[in-house]
Amino acid sequence: IGDNCTALTAASGIDSFQVVAILLLRLAIGNIFRAASFSNPDQPPMWKKSLDLCIKFHAVLLRLQSSEIDKDSKSDELYLAYHISDAIFPLSNLIRIMETKNNRKR
């Protein structure tokens, strides 16, 4: 990890602590996807937690990019938070659970 952090910080100007935080968030997303898939695939709280982690990960990346380029409005960040490929997996499972329970309100 040390060489990868050094290469990322030199190429992008991002602090090494931020790189480690990004890597740890990525590991957390993978672990929660695994837990949601294998332990309780029909439990909405697990998929909601994985969706929250994906959105937090993407928000951290947007904050790092916007601090280097320019400041965007918060509404743009909230809108773009769901437009990531990582959010597809938990969203599709939440929709599947909703449809199997015939709960159209959510």
Side-chain angles (χ1 to χ4, degrees):
I1 293 179
D3 293 337
N4 291 338
C5 287
T6 307
L8 283 172
T9 56
S12 63
I14 299 173
D15 187 19
S16 61
F17 292 114
Q18 292 171 334
V19 173
V20 171
I22 289 170
L23 292 174
L24 288 175
L25 272 174
R26 202 62 174 137
L27 284 172
I29 290 170
N31 285 338
I32 199 73
F33 277 176
R34 180 174 167 79
S37 296
F38 292 117
S39 64
N40 294 324
D42 293 332
Q43 295 296 318
M46 293 295 287
W47 293 112
K48 176 67 172 120
K49 185 180 262 189
S50 65
L51 181 62
D52 291 342
L53 273 174
C54 290
I55 291 170
K56 182 175 183 169
F57 176 74
H58 190 65
V60 167
L61 290 180
L62 280 177
R63 230 178 292 125
L64 288 174
Q65 290 173 352
S66 66
S67 68
E68 292 176 3
I69 300 169
D70 61 332
K71 298 290 183 191
D72 291 332
S73 68
K74 293 289 182 187
S75 63
D76 289 342
E77 287 185 13
L78 291 175
Y79 175 74
L80 292 173
Y82 291 96
H83 290 269
I84 52 175
S85 59
D86 289 339
I88 294 171
F89 189 53
L91 281 174
S92 63
N93 280 295
L94 285 170
I95 291 169
R96 176 187 57 82
I97 293 168
M98 178 209 50
E99 288 176 346
T100 57
K101 292 183 177 183
N102 291 326
N103 190 354
R104 299 282 180 199
K105 291 185 250 181
R106 296 181 183 210

